[in-house]
Amino acid sequence: MKQQDMTTAGTGWPRAGLELGLGLAGVALSGGGLSAVVGLPVMALLAALGVQAALSALLWLHWPDRGRSLGPANHVTLGRAALVSLLAGAVLVPSWAQQQAWLLAGIAGTALLLDGVDGWVARRWRCASAFGARFDMELDAFLMLVLCMHLLSMGKAGPWVLAIGLMRYGFVLAMRRWPWLDAPLPDSRRRKLVCVWQVASLLLCLLPLVGPTLATGLLALALGLLAGSFALDVRWLYRSGASLRVAGP
């Protein structure tokens, strides 16, 4: 996600709403297919629909012009959101998730691959925007939290693994106490690589071939890298905020 150059619908048509509705329908169809083929419990399907509906509501509230299309790059991210919603719904049925670990890893892997596709689409069609970048980032954070919850329920790691998924949300809460944390950060290849490493590590640890001992090592490394990356960003923000305070009136 990244979007700017959007196509428009006819006057008065809430095109963005229609597209968000299609995303919800996609979860219903794919979840129904999983129910028929691999026995996805109804509870998990309903939860997935609830998650997708909540994500759609947030996008609807923050999209600046509901008569405009979300655009091609955000369409890809909306597809990723449908996959993440299915993974989130499966958290409620840990016994089923344990049996279908390979399937969950495949869904998570597809979501990870699409994370690179939406950026390519944004560049190809020149539709990058702050809205799309934020959509992409928050979906990545939610995906990591969902995967952490699966690993905890599977016994691959202890409750500490949730720190990987909750670190982004802790950072957002800290902004209320220290507003200087809310300043924009410069683009960072290091930050992007660490994010990919987190998701890749979580995805790998989902596989039945990876036992708790190996998973603990991989996840501890992932947590250390993530904490270090956040620390570097916080230091940069602090120094930047301090320099602005000194230079200000």
Side-chain angles (χ1 to χ4, degrees):
M1 316 265 8
K2 303 108 183 156
Q3 228 77 16
Q4 209 156 60
D5 199 5
M6 316 287 181
T7 56
T8 58
T11 303
W13 284 92
R15 184 165 180 178
L18 294 174
E19 293 168 346
L20 292 171
L22 288 175
L24 191 60
V27 173
L29 289 173
S30 55
L34 290 176
S35 295
V37 176
V38 293
L40 176 69
V42 174
M43 180 191 304
L45 175 55
L46 293 177
L49 288 170
V51 171
Q52 184 71 13
L55 290 173
S56 298
L58 287 172
L59 291 171
W60 175 255
L61 288 173
H62 291 91
W63 187 241
D65 184 353
R66 284 134 187 197
R68 286 194 303 167
S69 167
L70 294 173
N74 281 333
H75 290 162
V76 176
T77 309
L78 189 60
R80 288 182 61 220
L83 297 176
V84 174
S85 294
L86 289 171
L87 290 170
V91 170
L92 297 183
V93 285
S95 58
W96 181 88
Q98 184 85 44
Q99 296 171 0
Q100 302 295 333
W102 284 103
L103 174 62
L104 294 181
I107 294 173
T110 302
L112 180 59
L113 288 174
L114 289 176
D115 191 22
V117 172
D118 59 17
W120 178 84
V121 170
R123 292 187 297 271
R124 174 66 177 79
W125 275 273
R126 298 183 180 180
C127 54
S129 75
F131 176 93
R134 182 66 179 270
F135 181 16
D136 193 39
M137 178 178 64
E138 298 300 344
L139 187 60
D140 285 341
F142 184 55
L143 172 59
M144 286 194 288
L145 177 58
V146 168
L147 294 180
C148 288
M149 294 171 71
H150 274 296
L151 292 172
L152 175 61
S153 68
M154 291 178 180
K156 295 288 186 80
W160 60 268
V161 75
L162 296 177
I164 296 176
L166 291 173
M167 197 169 297
R168 161 67 185 166
Y169 300 103
F171 184 77
V172 172
L173 287 175
M175 292 177 184
R176 295 172 177 257
R177 174 64 178 82
W178 299 287
W180 49 267
L181 289 172
D182 197 22
L185 286 163
D187 287 337
S188 167
R189 182 176 296 275
R190 176 258 307 163
R191 195 180 307 117
K192 293 175 182 177
L193 288 175
V194 168
C195 180
V196 171
W197 177 259
Q198 305 311 303
V199 180
S201 297
L202 293 167
L203 171 59
L204 182 62
C205 291
L206 274 180
L207 300 177
L209 298 176
V210 178
T213 302
L214 178 57
T216 296
L218 290 172
L219 295 171
L221 175 60
L223 178 58
L225 290 173
L226 185 61
S229 182
F230 268 95
L232 289 173
D233 285 340
V234 169
R235 184 179 67 173
W236 187 92
L237 288 167
Y238 179 78
R239 290 179 173 178
S240 177
S243 64
L244 289 175
R245 289 191 293 271
V246 170

